[in-house]
Amino acid sequence: MIERTLAIIKPDAVERRLTGTIIARIEAEGFQIRAMKRVHLSKAQAEGFYAVHRERPFFASLTAFMSSGPAIVVVLESADAIRKWRALMGATDPAKADPGTLRKEFAQSIERNATHGSDAPDTAAYEIGYFFSGTELI
Ligand code: ATP
Ligand code: MG
């Protein structure tokens, strides 16, 4: 089934000029890019985006990190896009990520882990709508 998912190139990766490298991997893996822009989230916007994690011990640190600098938000489309993008990213903790995954290659820690991906169809729809209007999805 053709699906869409929200990918983020997180501030740690943007700061280290990895945007082009990660976008090249996305295209090489066969995803279509349906929308893309550079954003600098406020703390409140990061808290809204990661609201499901608000009770977690890492919430304050995570939202400070996600609002610390520019990020690139991207809507990806392909067959099975949600699962396929999470497979390309690898495990949340780079120490547990498989060789060849983006997090294995580019993450600095479990928090500064280079990329984000939606985890289910309902969260993908929420997250895409958080950044893009219908007319921006082309
Ligand atoms: P994401 O939602 O960003 O794609 P994920 O689904 O692999 O990542 P989540 O459990 O949703 O992982 O955690 C969201 C983000 O919170 C992680 O990507 C990471 O940046 C941060 N995070 C998760 N667990 C920890 C932790 N134990 N300590 C610090 N930061 C963490
Ligand atoms: Mg997640």
Side-chain angles (χ1 to χ4, degrees):
M1 195 181 65
I2 296 293
E3 268 178 351
R4 288 177 176 176
T5 191
L6 186 85
I8 302 180
I9 304 173
K10 293 184 178 182
D12 60 314
V14 173
E15 186 183 7
R16 288 183 296 141
R17 300 173 182 256
L18 293 168
T19 301
T21 303
I22 292 172
I23 293 293
R25 287 287 297 277
I26 285 170
E27 292 199 311
E29 295 290 333
F31 292 98
Q32 297 286 348
I33 293 172
R34 291 300 181 206
M36 176 159 71
K37 65 184 167 190
R38 192 166 180 269
V39 297
H40 189 157
L41 296 178
S42 66
K43 186 79 159 46
Q45 287 170 328
E47 288 167 359
F49 182 78
Y50 277 120
V52 293
H53 293 315
R54 63 187 169 275
E55 306 299 337
R56 307 286 279 278
F58 56 81
F59 182 70
S61 175
L62 170 63
T63 54
F65 159 57
M66 288 299 290
S67 58
S68 67
I72 312 292
V73 291
V74 191
V75 176
L76 304 182
E77 185 178 277
S78 75
D80 202 17
I82 295 168
R83 189 203 56 77
K84 185 174 155 176
W85 170 237
R86 289 182 70 85
L88 178 58
M89 290 197 298
T92 310
D93 181 353
K96 296 177 183 155
D98 288 336
T101 61
L102 295 172
R103 283 166 166 170
K104 180 71 175 187
E105 234 170 298
F106 301 125
Q108 297 173 300
S109 69
I110 192 169
E111 178 174 274
R112 299 173 67 86
N113 62 359
T115 56
H116 161 84
S118 310
D119 60 11
D122 59 332
T123 52
Y126 172 78
E127 293 176 359
I128 290 169
Y130 202 79
F131 291 108
F132 297 100
S133 64
T135 53
E136 292 176 301
L137 297 163
I138 50 180

